[in-house]
Structure formats: structure tokens, C-alpha cells
Amino acid sequence: MSTPETLSPSGSQISEAEAFLAKYPDVEAIDIILTDFHGIGRGKTIRRHELESIYKSGRGLPSSIFGQDVTGEDVDDCGLVQTGGGGDGRCWPVPGTLGYLPHTGRGQLLISMYDEDRTPHDVDPRNVFAAQVTRARKLGFTPMGAFELEFYLVDREADADGLYHPASYALTKRRSTLRNTMSVDEIDEMSPLFDAIYEGAKHLDLTLETLISEYGPGQYEMTIRYRNLMRAADDVIIAKRLIRTVARRFGTEAVFMPKPFGTEAGSGMHLHLSLADDAGNNLFADQADGSLSPLMLNAIGGIRGTIGETMLLLAPFMNSWRRFASAMYSPASDDWGVENRTVALRVPGTPGKTRHFEHRIAGVDANPYLVAAVTLGAALDGIESKIDPGTPCTDEIGQAKAPNDLPRHWLDAIDQFGASDFNKRTLGPRFHTAFTKIKQAEYEHMALKVSAAEWEYYGFSI
């Protein structure tokens, strides 16, 4: 009989591994995935016979993974890079995330890091978010939500000028450079690829729902079923890897860079959020008289006051900021409104028991755990302090919006993030310091890169 000391601190059960091995007797390898600061999966591919041991005793991985930039290089002054002999953190399975990718023939398992005393490692992004979920539950709330994913499918190889182009359709091999917004025929022409994605989702406890062709050529959006917010964030990690690995097998690439083409639409990751009680009732549901829930309005008020400080998490890379060059459908503000897609915090127009709000700023490149952590943390602050959200915005699409003292570029966002007491309190001091240092190092590295456009504009004319 297992003792408390041998139980997984993540709550995972050996029965999950046993059931997987019985269901998929031909699977010989499983990818184990730890999500870093940047939302990138780091880990190992283990063999079939190693799977059960992870559920029994965890698996060691270097905690310095969290001290790396987006390329995997150590950032020496972030406080997380190991020196001397180094040492591992102990990673344990995330319950419910062991699944099968039929197009790869391998299993897949999300893992999270714990310290030697079996407490959650304080800079693992999933654990940072889990702390806010625990806080919500202590207040009597169960966070619920879902993310929407926008992305491009592009040719694997660049052209002679080094430029990438929207992918040829998987069914017809035809290529179109037209927007074809919400065209069902475009989805049909790409249907073999998407059919494989939906088939893979069945084996991953991932419920992908509506698919549309979006506003840019080769751009698509997939929605994921609304559920417990912690699992909703896991769903993003699982879905992005599923989409990416399927696309590769069709000779194309899924691009989650928010602005791959300067003149085309950017790709966002909208977060839909509500709070439920212990019985599952939506606490953001409309009042008896049809008015909006005061609890939801206080949550929106709390988030509005922190958007500027958290923009670095919502737009974490240099390319992220290209998405805000045009305000259409990509709000860089702290406004809120009802059924208004120009605002940062949108309350969908459908009334009643399913009422919730949508946080629209984050790019699809953002780490979902960190987006959810600061969104939920700020919402709880707003509820505890009963913060008034102010007057809803009624601007029309295309109308200029005031910046409301939000950062205007990446370096400004880094500075505001680093100076924020809210971020330090919500994310933890070690995470806050490390993330700031890593982004400063990334900015300095990118500042030395001279673009082709600079050569074209300035190289031989000034």
C-alpha cells in the first residue's frame, strides 16, 4: 500500500499510466513536456518501459530550463542558471494529460516541476498559475474558461527572397493569396490536415470546436471547449503541439508568431473567463433584472488597472508588438464594453446564465499559464477591493483609441513589468526578477539584429 511519501505531489495516479499502456500496446515512446517561460515545451522522449516510473518517483530535469531565453541559451544574471554541479528538479505528471498522437505514433505527457520537499517549484509557469487558482478556491470560486487560437499555415521553405508564403491546400495543392475570410470551401481544401488534427484531439482529452478561416491568407482559428481554467491552459499547450506536429506531416508549418506578415492580420489568443461556485453555478450570470453581475464588473475593474503592467506577458516578444500597429481587432488598451470587438475586455452580447468576459489582448505567442495567472490574479484583486470598471466603451471599429498610459513598445513593456508590485506579488519575486532579466537580455540581443528592411531603406541611400 502506498504511503503519503510515495504519492505524486501533482495528484497523478499510476492507474493513468497503466490504462494508457493497455489501450496503446504498440506505443514505444512518450514525449514528456515541461513548459518553460516562453510557452515552449522542453523535456525528453522516454521509452515505454519508463512511463510507470515517472508516476511512481517522478523524473529529474534541470531547473535551469527556466533560466533560458527563447532560443534555449542561459541568461546568466536571471538568478536561475545553475553553476558548479547544478541539480535537477523533480518533475511529476500533470493528471489527465497523458495521451496519444496517432500521426506520430508516440504518447505525450505534460509534467510540472517540484522541489525536494515536494512543494511546487516556484518559477514553473504552471505552478505560478496554480497558486492563483488555489487563491480563487479559498475565496469560494472555481475559475472556468477557454482560449481561442489563431495561427497561420505556411510553406515550409522560404522563397528566393527569404520570404514565407501561405501554404498550399492539403486536398487540392492549389495556392491562394486571397483572404477568403470565413470561407467554408477554403476549410474543405485544407480538410485532410484539419481532419488529422481533430482525430488526434480525440486521443488527448482535447475538445476542439469551431474552425474558421480567419482574416489573413492562410490564417485559421480554432476554439477549445470551455471548462476548468487550469485544464483550459493545459489545452493550449496540448493543442499548439498537436497542430504543429500534424502540419509538419503535411509538408507545411503551423506558425504561432502573432504577426508573420506585416500587412496581414495578427494572431491572438483570446481568453474567456468566468467564476463558478462549488455547485458549478456561474457567478457571472446576469442579475434577476437582466443587469450585469457586480462580481464580474469588479473582476473587470481589477484587470483594467493592471493591463499596462502585464503587457509583457500578453505580448512577450519583439514580433508581438507588430500586431498592435493596427488597432483593428487587436486592441492595445484597457477599455471594456459589451459586444464590442474594439475593446480589450469584451462582454459577449449573449445574456443569461452563460455570461462571461473575454480578454482580447494576448497574442498567440503568449504563455497561457502566465496570461491566465495575471488575468485571474487581477480579477480576484478587483473582487476583493470591489473595483469599479468605469464606463463601458462604445467606440466603433476603426475609431482611434487613447493609449491610457499603456506601454507603446517592447522595451517600455519590459520596464513597466519590472517595476510592477502587482507582478511581483502575483507571480512571485523569483519569477518576476528572472522573467524581467530574460526579456531584457532578449531585447538587447534583438537590438543588434539589422533587418533586410533597414538595408533596403537606408543601406545605400543615406
Side-chain angles (χ1 to χ4, degrees), residues 125-137 230 376 380 426:
R126 192 177 191 277
N127 294 337
V128 168
F129 173 40
Q132 293 303 311
V133 173
T134 299
R135 177 188 170 199
R137 288 176 175 161
M230 177 60 81
L376 178 59
L380 296 176
T426 303

Side-chain angles (χ1 to χ4, degrees), residues 336-349 358 360 392-397 401:
W336 79 281
V338 179
E339 198 51 42
N340 187 337
R341 284 182 166 83
T342 72
V343 298
L345 301 168
R346 168 181 171 257
V347 178
E358 175 189 17
R360 295 174 50 80
C393 175
T394 58
D395 287 351
E396 297 180 358
I397 290 176
K401 303 167 73 64

Side-chain angles (χ1 to χ4, degrees), residues 123-181:
V123 298
D124 180 332
R126 192 177 191 277
N127 294 337
V128 168
F129 173 40
Q132 293 303 311
V133 173
T134 299
R135 177 188 170 199
R137 288 176 175 161
K138 288 179 178 178
L139 293 171
F141 306 134
T142 298
M144 304 294 292
F147 290 85
E148 300 173 2
L149 296 181
E150 297 173 343
F151 59 95
Y152 279 85
L153 294 173
V154 303
D155 283 342
R156 177 169 294 165
E157 301 295 333
D159 63 19
D161 296 321
L163 302 176
Y164 290 88
H165 298 279
S168 301
Y169 297 125
L171 182 63
T172 63
K173 309 305 179 185
R174 186 176 71 88
R175 183 190 307 278
S176 174
T177 58
L178 304 178
R179 286 200 169 90
N180 293 319
T181 307

Side-chain angles (χ1 to χ4, degrees), residues 58-288:
R59 187 69 176 244
L61 285 178
S63 59
S64 58
I65 283 174
F66 300 120
Q68 297 175 345
D69 67 15
V70 69
T71 71
E73 291 284 343
D74 289 345
V75 177
D76 292 333
D77 66 346
C78 74
L80 303 179
V81 176
Q82 294 167 342
T83 58
D88 285 349
R90 181 67 41 177
C91 294
W92 294 83
V94 173
T97 64
L98 178 59
Y100 174 59
L101 281 74
H103 52 286
T104 71
R106 299 191 303 276
Q108 176 177 284
L109 174 66
L110 300 189
I111 55 178
S112 187
M113 187 171 286
Y114 291 77
D115 292 328
E116 290 183 6
D117 62 0
R118 302 169 68 82
T119 58
H121 191 67
D122 62 339
V123 298
D124 180 332
R126 192 177 191 277
N127 294 337
V128 168
F129 173 40
Q132 293 303 311
V133 173
T134 299
R135 177 188 170 199
R137 288 176 175 161
K138 288 179 178 178
L139 293 171
F141 306 134
T142 298
M144 304 294 292
F147 290 85
E148 300 173 2
L149 296 181
E150 297 173 343
F151 59 95
Y152 279 85
L153 294 173
V154 303
D155 283 342
R156 177 169 294 165
E157 301 295 333
D159 63 19
D161 296 321
L163 302 176
Y164 290 88
H165 298 279
S168 301
Y169 297 125
L171 182 63
T172 63
K173 309 305 179 185
R174 186 176 71 88
R175 183 190 307 278
S176 174
T177 58
L178 304 178
R179 286 200 169 90
N180 293 319
T181 307
M182 300 192 74
S183 166
V184 292
D185 283 334
E186 171 152 312
I187 293 174
D188 179 61
E189 290 198 72
M190 198 59 85
S191 60
L193 186 153
F194 285 112
D195 289 346
I197 290 173
Y198 281 111
E199 177 60 29
K202 294 177 184 178
H203 298 266
L204 296 167
D205 187 26
L206 177 68
T207 305
L208 298 176
E209 297 188 326
T210 304
L211 167 68
I212 65 171
S213 61
E214 259 288 354
Y215 196 69
Q219 187 187 34
Y220 301 88
E221 179 186 86
M222 301 190 84
T223 58
I224 309 175
R225 178 168 293 179
Y226 205 91
R227 55 171 158 180
N228 178 286
L229 187 60
M230 177 60 81
R231 182 53 202 251
D234 291 334
D235 284 346
V236 174
I237 302 299
I238 294 169
K240 288 175 75 171
R241 188 161 193 267
L242 170 63
I243 294 167
R244 186 180 284 117
T245 55
V246 168
R248 288 188 188 124
R249 283 152 181 82
F250 280 83
T252 186
E253 294 289 341
V255 174
F256 295 98
M257 186 165 61
K259 194 72 168 179
F261 306 112
T263 59
E264 300 297 343
S267 294
M269 185 180 69
H270 301 165
L271 167 59
H272 296 253
L273 177 68
S274 63
L275 298 175
D277 63 17
D278 291 339
N281 300 306
N282 180 18
L283 298 174
F284 284 179
D286 291 349
Q287 302 292 285

